[in-house]
mmCIF file of all heavy atoms in Angstrom:
data_model
loop_
_atom_site.group_PDB
_atom_site.id
_atom_site.type_symbol
_atom_site.label_atom_id
_atom_site.label_comp_id
_atom_site.label_asym_id
_atom_site.label_seq_id
_atom_site.Cartn_x
_atom_site.Cartn_y
_atom_site.Cartn_z
ATOM 1 N N ARG A 185 64.326 369.657 73.269
ATOM 2 C CA ARG A 185 65.180 369.170 72.169
ATOM 3 C C ARG A 185 64.351 368.417 71.133
ATOM 4 O O ARG A 185 63.189 368.119 71.342
ATOM 5 C CB ARG A 185 66.255 368.215 72.720
ATOM 6 C CG ARG A 185 67.099 368.784 73.812
ATOM 7 C CD ARG A 185 68.076 369.769 73.207
ATOM 8 N NE ARG A 185 68.898 370.389 74.223
ATOM 9 C CZ ARG A 185 70.169 370.082 74.427
ATOM 10 N NH1 ARG A 185 70.761 369.168 73.718
ATOM 11 N NH2 ARG A 185 70.841 370.710 75.350
ATOM 12 N N ARG A 186 65.038 368.070 70.049
ATOM 13 C CA ARG A 186 64.397 367.290 68.982
ATOM 14 C C ARG A 186 64.907 365.852 69.080
ATOM 15 O O ARG A 186 66.118 365.632 69.173
ATOM 16 C CB ARG A 186 64.791 367.860 67.611
ATOM 17 C CG ARG A 186 64.206 369.238 67.319
ATOM 18 C CD ARG A 186 65.082 370.000 66.343
ATOM 19 N NE ARG A 186 65.242 369.341 65.067
ATOM 20 C CZ ARG A 186 64.515 369.611 63.977
ATOM 21 N NH1 ARG A 186 63.595 370.561 64.026
ATOM 22 N NH2 ARG A 186 64.715 368.980 62.864
ATOM 23 N N VAL A 187 63.992 364.918 69.069
ATOM 24 C CA VAL A 187 64.407 363.515 69.191
ATOM 25 C C VAL A 187 63.717 362.651 68.135
ATOM 26 O O VAL A 187 62.658 363.007 67.613
ATOM 27 C CB VAL A 187 64.077 362.929 70.594
ATOM 28 C CG1 VAL A 187 64.801 363.678 71.693
ATOM 29 C CG2 VAL A 187 62.580 362.934 70.840
ATOM 30 N N ALA A 188 64.359 361.528 67.837
ATOM 31 C CA ALA A 188 63.734 360.533 66.954
ATOM 32 C C ALA A 188 63.502 359.265 67.754
ATOM 33 O O ALA A 188 64.337 358.884 68.579
ATOM 34 C CB ALA A 188 64.661 360.237 65.777
ATOM 35 N N ARG A 209 60.146 368.419 69.705
ATOM 36 C CA ARG A 209 59.691 367.738 68.494
ATOM 37 C C ARG A 209 60.080 366.260 68.584
ATOM 38 O O ARG A 209 61.216 365.944 68.956
ATOM 39 C CB ARG A 209 60.406 368.362 67.270
ATOM 40 C CG ARG A 209 59.812 367.960 65.974
ATOM 41 C CD ARG A 209 58.775 368.998 65.508
ATOM 42 N NE ARG A 209 57.975 368.540 64.419
ATOM 43 C CZ ARG A 209 56.639 368.441 64.454
ATOM 44 N NH1 ARG A 209 55.960 368.760 65.534
ATOM 45 N NH2 ARG A 209 55.969 368.047 63.400
ATOM 46 N N TYR A 211 60.131 362.789 66.278
ATOM 47 C CA TYR A 211 59.919 362.115 64.991
ATOM 48 C C TYR A 211 59.829 360.624 65.262
ATOM 49 O O TYR A 211 60.751 360.041 65.840
ATOM 50 C CB TYR A 211 61.084 362.378 64.027
ATOM 51 C CG TYR A 211 61.263 363.842 63.716
ATOM 52 C CD1 TYR A 211 62.200 364.608 64.396
ATOM 53 C CD2 TYR A 211 60.467 364.452 62.742
ATOM 54 C CE1 TYR A 211 62.349 365.957 64.125
ATOM 55 C CE2 TYR A 211 60.613 365.804 62.467
ATOM 56 C CZ TYR A 211 61.559 366.544 63.167
ATOM 57 O OH TYR A 211 61.701 367.880 62.900
ATOM 58 N N VAL A 252 75.054 362.973 69.826
ATOM 59 C CA VAL A 252 74.258 362.803 68.598
ATOM 60 C C VAL A 252 73.859 364.160 68.027
ATOM 61 O O VAL A 252 73.445 365.055 68.769
ATOM 62 C CB VAL A 252 72.995 361.968 68.902
ATOM 63 C CG1 VAL A 252 71.984 362.069 67.760
ATOM 64 C CG2 VAL A 252 73.347 360.526 69.173
ATOM 65 N N LYS A 253 73.984 364.269 66.716
ATOM 66 C CA LYS A 253 73.572 365.511 66.041
ATOM 67 C C LYS A 253 72.471 365.240 65.011
ATOM 68 O O LYS A 253 71.756 366.154 64.599
ATOM 69 C CB LYS A 253 74.762 366.151 65.315
ATOM 70 C CG LYS A 253 75.787 366.776 66.270
ATOM 71 C CD LYS A 253 75.336 368.181 66.666
ATOM 72 C CE LYS A 253 76.294 368.870 67.586
ATOM 73 N NZ LYS A 253 76.027 368.715 68.992
ATOM 74 N N GLY A 254 72.413 363.994 64.531
ATOM 75 C CA GLY A 254 71.380 363.701 63.548
ATOM 76 C C GLY A 254 71.420 362.258 63.078
ATOM 77 O O GLY A 254 72.274 361.477 63.498
ATOM 78 N N ILE A 255 70.458 361.931 62.210
ATOM 79 C CA ILE A 255 70.428 360.572 61.655
ATOM 80 C C ILE A 255 70.290 360.640 60.143
ATOM 81 O O ILE A 255 69.702 361.583 59.597
ATOM 82 C CB ILE A 255 69.267 359.718 62.243
ATOM 83 C CG1 ILE A 255 67.919 360.467 62.163
ATOM 84 C CG2 ILE A 255 69.552 359.312 63.661
ATOM 85 C CD1 ILE A 255 66.749 359.644 62.700
ATOM 86 N N VAL A 256 70.855 359.639 59.496
ATOM 87 C CA VAL A 256 70.704 359.521 58.042
ATOM 88 C C VAL A 256 69.580 358.519 57.800
ATOM 89 O O VAL A 256 69.613 357.398 58.306
ATOM 90 C CB VAL A 256 72.019 359.021 57.388
ATOM 91 C CG1 VAL A 256 71.839 358.862 55.883
ATOM 92 C CG2 VAL A 256 73.174 359.965 57.716
ATOM 93 N N LEU A 257 68.601 358.961 57.030
ATOM 94 C CA LEU A 257 67.446 358.104 56.743
ATOM 95 C C LEU A 257 67.439 357.704 55.275
ATOM 96 O O LEU A 257 67.891 358.464 54.416
ATOM 97 C CB LEU A 257 66.148 358.861 57.046
ATOM 98 C CG LEU A 257 65.920 359.267 58.498
ATOM 99 C CD1 LEU A 257 64.657 360.101 58.628
ATOM 100 C CD2 LEU A 257 65.818 358.026 59.377
ATOM 101 N N SER A 266 68.210 361.071 53.256
ATOM 102 C CA SER A 266 68.041 362.425 53.799
ATOM 103 C C SER A 266 68.639 362.454 55.199
ATOM 104 O O SER A 266 68.865 361.401 55.804
ATOM 105 C CB SER A 266 66.547 362.773 53.873
ATOM 106 O OG SER A 266 65.878 361.829 54.669
ATOM 107 N N GLU A 267 68.888 363.666 55.679
ATOM 108 C CA GLU A 267 69.406 363.784 57.047
ATOM 109 C C GLU A 267 68.398 364.516 57.912
ATOM 110 O O GLU A 267 67.749 365.466 57.454
ATOM 111 C CB GLU A 267 70.742 364.535 57.048
ATOM 112 C CG GLU A 267 71.871 363.616 56.630
ATOM 113 C CD GLU A 267 73.253 364.112 57.075
ATOM 114 O OE1 GLU A 267 73.357 364.856 58.073
ATOM 115 O OE2 GLU A 267 74.222 363.741 56.402
ATOM 116 N N LEU A 268 68.279 364.061 59.123
ATOM 117 C CA LEU A 268 67.351 364.673 60.064
ATOM 118 C C LEU A 268 68.163 365.094 61.283
ATOM 119 O O LEU A 268 68.853 364.271 61.881
ATOM 120 C CB LEU A 268 66.294 363.630 60.461
ATOM 121 C CG LEU A 268 65.166 364.065 61.366
ATOM 122 C CD1 LEU A 268 64.239 365.061 60.660
ATOM 123 C CD2 LEU A 268 64.346 362.838 61.801
ATOM 124 N N ALA A 269 68.076 366.383 61.623
ATOM 125 C CA ALA A 269 68.835 366.885 62.778
ATOM 126 C C ALA A 269 68.063 366.560 64.058
ATOM 127 O O ALA A 269 66.921 367.007 64.234
ATOM 128 C CB ALA A 269 69.038 368.389 62.653
ATOM 129 N N VAL A 270 68.654 365.745 64.914
ATOM 130 C CA VAL A 270 68.052 365.425 66.213
ATOM 131 C C VAL A 270 69.147 365.364 67.278
ATOM 132 O O VAL A 270 70.314 365.129 66.964
ATOM 133 C CB VAL A 270 67.287 364.069 66.213
ATOM 134 C CG1 VAL A 270 65.979 364.150 65.454
ATOM 135 C CG2 VAL A 270 68.151 362.932 65.690
ATOM 136 N N ASP A 271 68.734 365.542 68.528
ATOM 137 C CA ASP A 271 69.686 365.475 69.640
ATOM 138 C C ASP A 271 69.638 364.115 70.335
ATOM 139 O O ASP A 271 70.528 363.788 71.114
ATOM 140 C CB ASP A 271 69.343 366.549 70.690
ATOM 141 C CG ASP A 271 69.247 367.924 70.050
ATOM 142 O OD1 ASP A 271 70.277 368.424 69.589
ATOM 143 O OD2 ASP A 271 68.110 368.472 69.981
ATOM 144 N N GLY A 272 68.584 363.386 70.057
ATOM 145 C CA GLY A 272 68.442 362.088 70.715
ATOM 146 C C GLY A 272 67.818 361.068 69.784
ATOM 147 O O GLY A 272 67.004 361.413 68.918
#
Side-chain angles (χ1 to χ4, degrees):
R185 305 286 178 105
R186 291 154 60 96
V187 299
R209 193 94 192 121
Y211 299 97
V252 166
K253 288 277 181 267
I255 50 179
V256 178
L257 297 175
S266 58
E267 281 201 26
L268 184 67
V270 287
D271 307 293

